[in-house]
Amino acid sequence: MEIKDKVFIVTGGASGLGAGTARMLVQEGAKVILADVQDEAGQALAAELGQTYVHCDVTSESEGQAVVDAAINAGPLFGIVNCAGIAPAARTVGRNGPHPLDMFQKVIMVNLVGTFNMTRLAAAAMSTNTPEPTGERGVIINTASVAALTLPIARDMSKSVIRCMTIAPAIFGTPMMFGMPQEVQDSLAASIPFPSRLGRPEDFAKLVHSIITNDMLNGETIRLDGAIRMAPK
């Protein structure tokens, strides 16, 4: 699939991996709908790129549908890149007792349910597209926390000739990472075999570009991690 003149949704598009992906898509000639809950950052990036920002809690059906509707208004929707996610950290049992259940539930709602919510709504819109010369009607690109959904969704959506892939990034320089102490950031970067640095949003965006333009990539999770393997603790 060619990127130019296509409409894409990027969730979590106001910062980090989503912002890097949005920049790449715009540079390649796409129209992008930025979906996020960070209104100030999202509106600023949309203004910079000349694109559209829509406030969206990805766990909300109505807000997710509003994003898809905005995309359809801009033209046929051909792709969604799900970058929205949260990563609070807590041990199963810590100094203050067991892991807060509400924290776990929120992570599942945003990272898993939210990704599936946006996937299903975007897929419904893409399934009505006139197929590209490659025969496909669209592409779904998720991130690692929902990797288990990749192959089932890819097989299910094959009937509508829509691909589904997942990128599994390791340690990336995103707002979540930059909120950690500098010594922690440096230690994590040094633990990556090569290149020994934090991943950059443009690294993620390059892989998104490859997935979109290579129609043989489907139903797979690709590690983007500099060969790192996480230790038990």
Side-chain angles (χ1 to χ4, degrees):
M1 181 195 303
E2 295 296 324
I3 295 175
K4 187 178 181 181
D5 298 327
K6 301 291 194 309
V7 179
F8 290 86
I9 292 169
V10 180
T11 71
S15 63
L17 304 180
T21 297
R23 291 181 189 280
M24 178 278 294
L25 291 170
V26 172
Q27 288 171 358
E28 293 292 325
K31 297 178 182 177
V32 177
I33 307 300
L34 300 166
D36 210 309
V37 293
Q38 302 179 79
D39 292 339
E40 184 175 350
Q43 290 166 357
L45 183 59
E48 174 192 334
L49 299 178
Q51 304 300 310
T52 301
Y53 171 76
V54 179
H55 177 92
C56 178
D57 174 350
V58 294
T59 68
S60 166
E61 181 167 14
S62 61
E63 292 186 16
Q65 187 60 57
V67 172
V68 173
D69 290 343
I72 294 172
N73 286 338
L77 174 63
F78 271 90
I80 181 167
V81 184
N82 283 307
C83 295
I86 57 174
R91 293 182 178 276
T92 306
V93 179
R95 294 178 180 176
N96 298 319
H99 189 300
L101 184 59
D102 60 347
M103 180 189 294
F104 178 79
Q105 290 172 326
K106 184 175 182 179
V107 170
I108 294 299
M109 283 300 295
V110 174
N111 294 4
L112 178 59
V113 176
T115 297
F116 182 68
N117 180 43
M118 298 305 299
T119 293
R120 70 188 184 92
L121 295 173
M126 291 189 287
S127 66
T128 64
N129 288 339
T130 300
E132 288 289 282
T134 57
E136 60 186 321
R137 289 193 174 98
V139 61
I140 300 160
I141 302 176
N142 294 327
T143 45
S145 63
V146 291
L149 287 178
T150 305
L151 187 57
I153 289 179
R155 288 174 169 169
D156 184 41
M157 295 310 302
S158 67
K159 302 177 183 65
S160 301
V161 287
I162 295 172
R163 295 182 290 125
C164 181
M165 290 286 293
T166 290
I167 299 174
I171 304 173
F172 269 66
T174 64
M176 285 188 287
M177 176 61 65
F178 294 142
M180 297 181 179
Q182 187 60 52
E183 60 269 23
V184 173
Q185 297 180 40
D186 294 342
S187 175
L188 289 171
S191 70
I192 302 172
F194 184 81
S196 296
R197 61 169 174 80
L198 299 178
R200 301 172 181 135
E202 52 264 37
D203 298 323
F204 186 90
K206 287 176 184 177
L207 184 50
V208 170
H209 184 284
S210 295
I211 291 171
I212 293 171
T213 56
N214 189 336
D215 57 287
M216 198 62 186
L217 289 173
N218 194 18
E220 185 58 85
T221 299
I222 301 176
R223 296 180 66 108
L224 189 62
D225 60 12
I228 195 172
R229 295 297 182 270
M230 298 298 188
K233 60 180 179 179

